[in-house]
Every structure is written in structure tokens, then in C-alpha cells.
Amino acid sequence: MESNRGSPPENAKSNFTDSLEGIFHFLTDRVPGNLPTAPPKARKANLWCHDGRPLVSKVAATRDLESSIVRSLDLLGGLNKLAGPGDLVMVKPNFNSADAYPGSTDLDFLKTVLELLAQSGARVTLGESSGG
């Protein structure tokens, strides 16, 4: 059995090199000079505001989760303020860990929200990225 005492494993050398290269790019590639730029799109106004202040609703959850969610949305003015037939809506749950609710989005809640959006006629996309 051979011993490589004193010399780092090959992947340690490449990790170090990759880190140096990353630091170099971080410090020097701040503003690409040859790429066209475009101004950012205007943000849409908050749909659920009153006199310029955001609205918040809170209801006691019941065993009928759908009714609880609908009641909360109705207090804000209804789901139809957000989505209707043909509207494209992206829902971004929180799955950045293996933790159960409240560390991650409750699956029953997510399913109910997706069903309500689909019932409204919206085209629903589910998107998530857990890092990287």
C-alpha cells in the first residue's frame, strides 16, 4: 500500500485552482463591455393595496383548507384580482430544505392553491430551485 503523505489529493489541487479562478472572475468580470443592456421592466403594482398600503388577511384554518384559502383571498379582494382565464401564473414554493412545514411549503396548501388557480382558468407553472 502506497502512502501519499505530504501531497494533497488531486481533487484538492483542482478545487484550489477553481477557487482562484472564481475569485479572479468575481473581481474582474464585473461589467461585461461587449454585451448589450436593456432597462429593467417596470414593476407591476401590488394587487392587494388600499390607499397605498399593502393588505394582509389572516383567517383561522379549518379542516376545509380550500375554504380557508378562499376566505383569506376574499378578504383581499378575491383570487380574480390575480388570475383569470388564460393568465400565466408561476407559483414558487419553498423547498430549500428537507424540513417539514413551516420550514418548507405545506404540500396540501400548495396543492389547493394550484387547484384554485387552475379552476380560475389560469395557466399555472410551478417553479423551484433549491440552491445553485
Side-chain angles (χ1 to χ4, degrees):
M1 185 186 274
E2 292 183 35
S3 172
N4 286 336
R5 285 188 180 210
S7 61
E10 279 301 311
N11 65 345
K13 289 179 187 176
S14 66
N15 286 342
F16 178 74
T17 303
D18 288 345
S19 295
L20 282 179
E21 186 176 344
I23 292 168
F24 172 79
H25 286 292
F26 176 76
L27 294 174
T28 62
D29 294 349
R30 299 301 257 177
V31 181
N34 59 348
L35 294 177
T37 60
K41 293 180 180 178
R43 288 184 174 217
K44 292 183 178 180
N46 185 340
L47 298 173
W48 291 298
C49 277
H50 181 70
D51 295 332
R53 298 188 64 181
L55 297 174
V56 176
S57 69
K58 182 177 179 180
V59 298
T62 65
R63 290 180 186 243
D64 183 0
L65 187 56
E66 182 175 338
S67 293
S68 298
I69 293 171
V70 168
R71 174 72 181 131
S72 182
L73 289 169
D74 286 346
L75 291 170
L76 298 171
L79 179 62
N80 61 338
K81 288 182 85 172
L82 171 69
D87 289 340
L88 180 60
V89 177
M90 180 180 159
V91 176
K92 198 282 186 201
N94 183 25
F95 294 126
N96 60 359
S97 72
D99 296 337
Y101 171 81
S104 294
T105 301
D106 179 72
L107 293 178
D108 290 332
F109 178 83
L110 177 61
K111 178 182 175 205
T112 304
V113 168
L114 294 174
E115 288 170 349
L116 288 169
L117 287 166
Q119 289 169 14
S120 77
R123 298 178 308 153
V124 181
T125 299
L126 183 67
E128 168 58 313
S129 172
S130 57

